[in-house]
Amino acid sequence: MKFNSLLKLSFALIVFCQFSCMTFEPVKLVRIENFNSTLKDKDPQVTLDLVIENPNKFGLTLTQLNTDIALSKKQISTVSLASKKRIIPKGNTPVPLHITIDSEKLKSVLPSALMAYLTGSLDVQLKGSVKVKKFIFGKRIPFTIDQKVSL
C-alpha cells in the first residue's frame, strides 16, 4: 500500500514538473464571423462568432470571456461566456456570442444602424479579456477588435 501511494505521488510530481516548464503563447482573437441580427420578443438580438486562434501545439480551455460590444463606436452591451469552451491546438475555434439589446441602447444606435443598412456594412468593436487555462496554469489576455462586418 505504501509503495502504491509513493508511486502515485511520484507520478503526480513528474506530471507537475512537466507542465510547470511548459509555456504557452497567448491566443489571438482574430476576427468576427457570422454576424446576424434578428428581432426576438420585441428586443433585437445580435449573434456573432468570435474566432480565437491557438498557435500552441496543445489545446486550451477558455474559462472566461468578458467583452464590451459597440456598434459604430456606441456601446450596446457587455457579454460574458456562459460555459467553458475547448480551444483546439494549432487552429481557429469560433466562440458564439448572443447579445440582446435593450430599447434604450437601441435608440442611441438606431441612426448608425440605419446608415449601416443602407451601406451594407457595420463597424463592430469588441474590447475585453479572455482567460485561457491548461492544467492548473492560466493566463488572462486583453483584446481589442475593430472590424467592419457586412450585413
Side-chain angles (χ1 to χ4, degrees), residues 7-151:
L7 184 64
K8 288 180 183 177
L9 181 63
S10 61
F11 179 72
L13 184 62
I14 289 169
V15 169
F16 180 74
C17 289
Q18 179 78 20
F19 282 109
S20 66
C21 297
M22 175 184 69
T23 59
F24 58 85
E25 294 181 44
V27 296
K28 299 173 189 139
L29 286 89
V30 192
R31 64 185 171 277
I32 299 168
E33 289 182 345
N34 302 328
F35 183 88
N36 292 312
S37 60
T38 57
L39 191 62
K40 186 175 183 181
D41 298 331
K42 296 182 182 179
D43 288 327
Q45 186 172 2
V46 174
T47 59
L48 56 93
D49 290 340
L50 183 59
V51 178
I52 299 177
E53 178 186 340
N54 182 6
N56 300 296
K57 295 180 183 177
F58 47 86
L60 298 168
T61 303
L62 178 64
T63 57
Q64 289 181 356
L65 182 142
N66 298 311
T67 182
D68 294 330
I69 298 177
L71 300 177
S72 300
K73 307 223 187 283
K74 294 180 182 168
Q75 184 177 350
I76 59 165
S77 185
T78 300
V79 178
S80 297
L81 188 66
S83 62
K84 294 180 182 179
K85 177 87 173 162
R86 177 96 172 114
I87 301 173
I88 62 171
K90 290 279 184 189
N92 294 337
T93 303
V95 177
L97 298 177
H98 304 282
I99 306 115
T100 302
I101 305 169
D102 65 348
S103 301
E104 287 183 28
K105 301 250 179 167
L106 180 62
K107 290 176 187 174
S108 68
V109 178
L110 196 58
S112 58
L114 288 174
M115 184 59 85
Y117 179 75
L118 294 174
T119 60
S121 64
L122 179 66
D123 290 326
V124 179
Q125 297 85 29
L126 301 175
K127 185 175 181 177
S129 65
V130 295
K131 184 176 181 183
V132 292
K133 205 171 179 184
K134 179 68 177 181
F135 192 47
I136 59 172
F137 305 100
K139 191 173 205 177
R140 183 172 303 280
I141 302 162
F143 69 89
T144 302
I145 295 178
D146 191 356
Q147 180 179 330
K148 190 174 286 253
V149 296
S150 60
L151 300 175

